[in-house]
Amino acid sequence: MHAMVLKKLGASLEWTELADRQPEPGEIRVKVAACGVCRTDLHVVDGELPDPQVPIIPGHEIVGRIDAIGAGVEGLRVGERVGIPWLGHTCGVCPYCVRSQENLCDRPLFTGYTRDGGFATATIADARFAFPLGEGGSDVALAPLLCAGLIGWRSLVIAGDGKNLGLYGYGAAAHIIAQVAKWQGRTVFAFTRPGDVATQDFARRLGATWAGGSDETPPERLDAAIIFATVGDLVPLALKAVRKGGRVICAGIHMSDIPSFPYQLLWEERQLVSVANLTRQDGIDFLRLAPQIGIVTETTRYPLNQANRALTDLRAGRFEGAAVLVP
Ligand SMILES: [Zn+2]
Ligand SMILES: [Zn+2]
């Protein structure tokens, strides 16, 4: 197999030939058909997440077909199309796992961060954490659903059922979740970098009723706001935009420091919460709903060996929607 491997934090990924691995008991081997590129991959490459490990193969929005099955795996077959998300393994016995909060597991493994991911021609996964994807939709179109869609979905559920929803940072996750929110009958207000007219146009084309700069006041008070951007300065701005009792959700795994702000912005029962990882139930719920909604993902395709260019373009905001690597 071949992979784009991170061998040193902060360095470029290296095209590397590796020995084919056989799945251990409970594992599957998947021939990768497409793997989305997520902002978290930038945090992995930059060494911004706790306890980074190298060498590691990044990538946690994997769509592929099972080509080998380890002992004891049930309910999956060779040739079946599956998706492999960020949550790659949980311990099953810690207080969080037994409380249906496996997203907070004390001893988890994360795909493309603490276990090898999908910037590769093949990958090995814990079979219990792979989602059967069926045959509807193309591999490339489905890939961004595996993290941008799933984390966005969890954030949307935690945002509650208020009608006016603000989305700060209109990249891969927001462009999917705006479509879900619209389908649910909500009104979406999209916030981009001030002056980013191209992304504001993109937002209006894909789900948003209003789009403007993050420094602008939306025409109506928000019931909830989800911050997908990694910019802590957005937190007081979002709190200012939500109504009394409204909720602000930080959806990213990493964020720059939040500046101090007057207590008045939080008062009147506004809530500020973060979303971490996903549970398998989130995946089952969202992937069941996605075909009904008819989500359209805007993707920019790169050959696998161009992963560094995809990461650079993501960092620079050179495309709308999501980048997807294809072996
Ligand atoms: Zn991700
Ligand atoms: Zn656990």
Side-chain angles (χ1 to χ4, degrees), residues 145 153 156 165 167 170-186 188 202-203 205-208 286 289-290 292-298 321:
L145 301 185
W153 168 255
L156 183 65
L165 178 73
L167 301 178
Y170 211 87
H175 97 288
I176 294 170
I177 285 318
Q179 296 174 56
V180 179
K182 197 176 166 193
W183 180 81
Q184 292 174 329
R186 306 189 203 219
V188 174
F202 174 65
R205 187 155 59 76
L206 277 181
F286 176 65
L289 209 55
Q292 297 174 39
I293 300 171
I295 294 170
V296 178
T297 52
E298 181 107 348

Coordinates of all heavy atoms in Angstrom, one line a residue, residues 145 153 156 165 167 170-186 188 202-203 205-208 286 289-290 292-298 321:
L145 N -19.2 14.0 4.6 CA -20.2 13.7 5.6 C -19.6 13.1 6.8 O -20.1 13.2 7.9 CB -21.3 12.8 5.0 CG -22.1 13.3 3.8 CD1 -23.2 12.3 3.5 CD2 -22.6 14.7 4.0
W153 N -23.6 17.8 12.6 CA -24.8 17.2 13.0 C -24.9 17.2 14.5 O -25.9 17.6 15.1 CB -25.0 15.8 12.5 CG -26.1 15.0 13.1 CD1 -26.0 14.0 14.0 CD2 -27.5 15.2 12.9 NE1 -27.3 13.6 14.3 CE2 -28.2 14.3 13.7 CE3 -28.3 16.1 12.1 CZ2 -29.6 14.2 13.7 CZ3 -29.7 16.0 12.1 CH2 -30.3 15.1 12.9
L156 N -25.5 20.6 15.7 CA -26.8 21.1 15.4 C -27.8 20.5 16.4 O -28.7 21.3 16.9 CB -27.2 20.7 14.0 CG -28.6 21.1 13.5 CD1 -28.6 22.7 13.4 CD2 -28.9 20.5 12.1
L165 N -30.7 30.1 13.2 CA -29.4 29.5 13.5 C -28.3 30.3 12.9 O -28.3 30.5 11.6 CB -29.4 28.1 13.0 CG -28.1 27.3 13.2 CD1 -27.9 26.9 14.6 CD2 -28.1 26.0 12.3
L167 N -24.3 30.4 11.8 CA -23.1 29.5 11.5 C -21.9 30.4 11.3 O -21.9 31.2 10.3 CB -23.3 28.6 10.3 CG -24.5 27.7 10.4 CD1 -24.7 26.9 9.1 CD2 -24.4 26.7 11.6
Y170 N -17.8 29.4 7.2 CA -18.7 28.7 6.3 C -17.8 27.8 5.4 O -17.7 28.0 4.2 CB -19.5 29.7 5.5 CG -20.9 29.1 5.1 CD1 -22.0 29.2 5.9 CD2 -21.0 28.4 3.9 CE1 -23.2 28.6 5.6 CE2 -22.2 27.9 3.5 CZ -23.3 28.0 4.4 OH -24.5 27.4 4.0
G171 N -17.3 26.8 6.0 CA -16.5 25.8 5.2 C -17.2 24.5 5.1 O -18.5 24.5 4.9
A172 N -16.5 23.4 5.2 CA -17.1 22.1 4.9 C -18.3 21.8 5.8 O -19.3 21.3 5.3 CB -16.0 21.0 5.0
A173 N -18.1 22.0 7.1 CA -19.2 21.6 8.0 C -20.4 22.5 7.8 O -21.5 22.0 7.7 CB -18.7 21.7 9.5
A174 N -20.2 23.8 7.8 CA -21.3 24.7 7.7 C -22.1 24.5 6.4 O -23.4 24.5 6.4 CB -20.9 26.1 7.8
H175 N -21.4 24.2 5.3 CA -22.2 24.1 4.0 C -23.1 22.8 4.0 O -24.1 22.8 3.4 CB -21.3 24.2 2.8 CG -20.8 22.9 2.2 ND1 -19.9 22.1 2.8 CD2 -21.1 22.4 1.0 CE1 -19.6 21.1 2.0 NE2 -20.4 21.2 0.9
I176 N -22.7 21.8 4.8 CA -23.6 20.7 5.0 C -24.7 20.9 6.0 O -25.9 20.7 5.7 CB -22.7 19.4 5.4 CG1 -21.7 19.1 4.3 CG2 -23.6 18.3 5.8 CD1 -20.7 18.0 4.8
I177 N -24.3 21.5 7.1 CA -25.3 21.7 8.2 C -26.4 22.7 7.8 O -27.5 22.7 8.2 CB -24.6 22.0 9.5 CG1 -23.9 20.7 10.0 CG2 -25.5 22.6 10.5 CD1 -24.8 19.4 9.9
A178 N -26.0 23.7 7.0 CA -27.0 24.7 6.6 C -28.1 24.0 5.8 O -29.2 24.4 5.9 CB -26.3 25.8 5.7
Q179 N -27.7 23.0 5.0 CA -28.7 22.3 4.2 C -29.6 21.5 5.1 O -30.8 21.4 4.9 CB -28.0 21.4 3.2 CG -27.2 22.2 2.1 CD -26.4 21.3 1.2 OE1 -27.0 20.4 0.6 NE2 -25.1 21.4 1.2
V180 N -29.0 20.9 6.1 CA -29.9 20.1 7.1 C -30.8 21.1 7.8 O -32.0 20.8 8.0 CB -29.0 19.4 8.1 CG1 -29.8 18.6 9.1 CG2 -28.0 18.5 7.4
A181 N -30.3 22.2 8.3 CA -31.1 23.2 9.1 C -32.2 23.7 8.2 O -33.4 23.9 8.7 CB -30.2 24.3 9.6
K182 N -31.9 24.0 7.0 CA -33.0 24.5 6.1 C -34.1 23.4 5.9 O -35.2 23.7 5.9 CB -32.3 24.9 4.7 CG -33.2 25.8 3.9 CD -32.4 26.2 2.6 CE -33.4 26.8 1.6 NZ -32.8 26.9 0.3
W183 N -33.6 22.2 5.7 CA -34.6 21.1 5.5 C -35.5 20.9 6.7 O -36.6 20.6 6.6 CB -33.8 19.8 5.2 CG -34.6 18.6 5.0 CD1 -35.2 18.2 3.9 CD2 -34.8 17.6 6.0 NE1 -35.8 16.9 4.1 CE2 -35.6 16.6 5.4 CE3 -34.4 17.4 7.4 CZ2 -36.0 15.4 6.1 CZ3 -34.9 16.3 8.0 CH2 -35.6 15.3 7.4
Q184 N -34.9 21.3 7.9 CA -35.7 21.2 9.1 C -36.6 22.4 9.3 O -37.3 22.5 10.3 CB -34.7 21.1 10.4 CG -33.9 19.8 10.4 CD -32.9 19.9 11.6 OE1 -32.4 21.0 11.9 NE2 -32.6 18.8 12.2
G185 N -36.5 23.4 8.4 CA -37.4 24.5 8.4 C -36.8 25.7 9.2 O -37.5 26.6 9.6
R186 N -35.5 25.7 9.4 CA -34.9 26.8 10.2 C -34.4 27.8 9.2 O -34.3 27.6 8.0 CB -33.6 26.3 10.9 CG -33.9 25.1 11.9 CD -32.7 24.9 12.7 NE -32.6 23.5 13.2 CZ -32.2 23.2 14.5 NH1 -31.9 24.2 15.3 NH2 -32.1 22.0 14.9
V188 N -31.1 30.1 8.3 CA -29.7 30.1 8.6 C -29.1 31.5 8.3 O -29.3 32.0 7.2 CB -29.0 29.0 7.7 CG1 -27.5 29.1 7.8 CG2 -29.5 27.6 8.1
F202 N -21.5 31.9 -1.7 CA -21.5 30.4 -1.6 C -22.5 30.0 -0.5 O -23.4 29.1 -0.7 CB -20.1 29.9 -1.3 CG -20.0 28.5 -1.0 CD1 -20.3 27.5 -1.9 CD2 -19.7 28.0 0.3 CE1 -20.2 26.2 -1.7 CE2 -19.6 26.7 0.6 CZ -19.8 25.7 -0.4
A203 N -22.5 30.7 0.6 CA -23.4 30.4 1.7 C -24.9 30.7 1.3 O -25.8 29.8 1.6 CB -23.1 31.3 2.9
R205 N -26.0 30.5 -1.7 CA -26.4 29.5 -2.7 C -26.7 28.1 -2.0 O -27.5 27.4 -2.5 CB -25.2 29.3 -3.7 CG -25.4 28.5 -4.8 CD -24.5 28.8 -6.0 NE -23.0 28.7 -5.7 CZ -22.4 27.6 -5.6 NH1 -23.0 26.4 -5.8 NH2 -21.1 27.6 -5.3
L206 N -26.0 27.9 -0.9 CA -26.2 26.6 -0.2 C -26.8 26.8 1.2 O -26.2 26.6 2.2 CB -24.9 25.8 -0.1 CG -24.5 25.0 -1.3 CD1 -23.2 24.3 -1.1 CD2 -25.5 24.0 -1.7
G207 N -28.1 27.3 1.2 CA -28.8 27.2 2.4 C -29.0 28.4 3.3 O -30.0 28.5 4.0
A208 N -28.1 29.4 3.2 CA -28.3 30.5 4.1 C -29.3 31.6 3.6 O -29.3 31.9 2.4 CB -26.9 31.2 4.3
F286 N -27.3 10.5 11.6 CA -27.1 11.5 10.5 C -27.0 10.8 9.1 O -27.6 11.3 8.1 CB -25.8 12.2 10.8 CG -25.4 13.1 9.6 CD1 -26.2 14.2 9.3 CD2 -24.3 12.9 8.9 CE1 -25.9 15.1 8.3 CE2 -23.9 13.8 7.8 CZ -24.7 14.9 7.6
L289 N -30.4 10.0 7.8 CA -31.1 11.2 7.3 C -30.6 11.8 6.1 O -31.3 12.4 5.2 CB -31.0 12.2 8.5 CG -32.1 13.2 8.7 CD1 -33.5 12.5 8.8 CD2 -31.8 14.1 9.9
A290 N -29.2 11.7 5.9 CA -28.6 12.5 4.8 C -29.2 12.2 3.4 O -29.4 13.2 2.7 CB -27.1 12.2 4.8
Q292 N -32.2 11.4 2.7 CA -33.6 12.0 2.6 C -33.5 13.5 2.4 O -34.3 14.1 1.7 CB -34.3 11.8 3.9 CG -34.6 10.3 4.3 CD -35.2 10.2 5.7 OE1 -36.0 11.1 6.1 NE2 -34.8 9.2 6.4
I293 N -32.5 14.1 3.0 CA -32.3 15.5 2.8 C -31.8 15.9 1.4 O -32.1 17.0 0.9 CB -31.3 16.1 3.9 CG1 -31.9 15.8 5.3 CG2 -31.1 17.6 3.7 CD1 -30.9 16.0 6.4
G294 N -31.1 14.9 0.8 CA -30.5 15.2 -0.5 C -29.4 16.2 -0.4 O -29.3 17.2 -1.2
I295 N -28.5 16.0 0.6 CA -27.4 17.0 0.8 C -26.5 17.0 -0.4 O -26.1 15.9 -0.9 CB -26.6 16.5 2.1 CG1 -27.4 16.7 3.3 CG2 -25.3 17.4 2.2 CD1 -26.9 16.1 4.6
V296 N -26.1 18.2 -0.8 CA -25.2 18.3 -1.9 C -23.9 18.8 -1.3 O -23.8 19.9 -0.7 CB -25.7 19.4 -2.9 CG1 -24.7 19.6 -4.1 CG2 -27.0 19.0 -3.5
T297 N -22.8 18.1 -1.5 CA -21.5 18.5 -1.0 C -20.7 19.1 -2.1 O -20.7 18.6 -3.2 CB -20.7 17.4 -0.3 OG1 -20.6 16.3 -1.2 CG2 -21.3 17.0 1.0
E298 N -20.2 20.3 -1.8 CA -19.3 21.0 -2.8 C -17.9 20.5 -2.5 O -17.3 20.7 -1.4 CB -19.4 22.5 -2.6 CG -18.5 23.2 -3.6 CD -19.4 24.0 -4.6 OE1 -20.6 23.7 -4.7 OE2 -18.8 24.8 -5.4
G321 N -16.3 24.8 0.3 CA -16.7 23.4 0.6 C -15.6 22.6 1.1 O -14.9 23.0 2.0

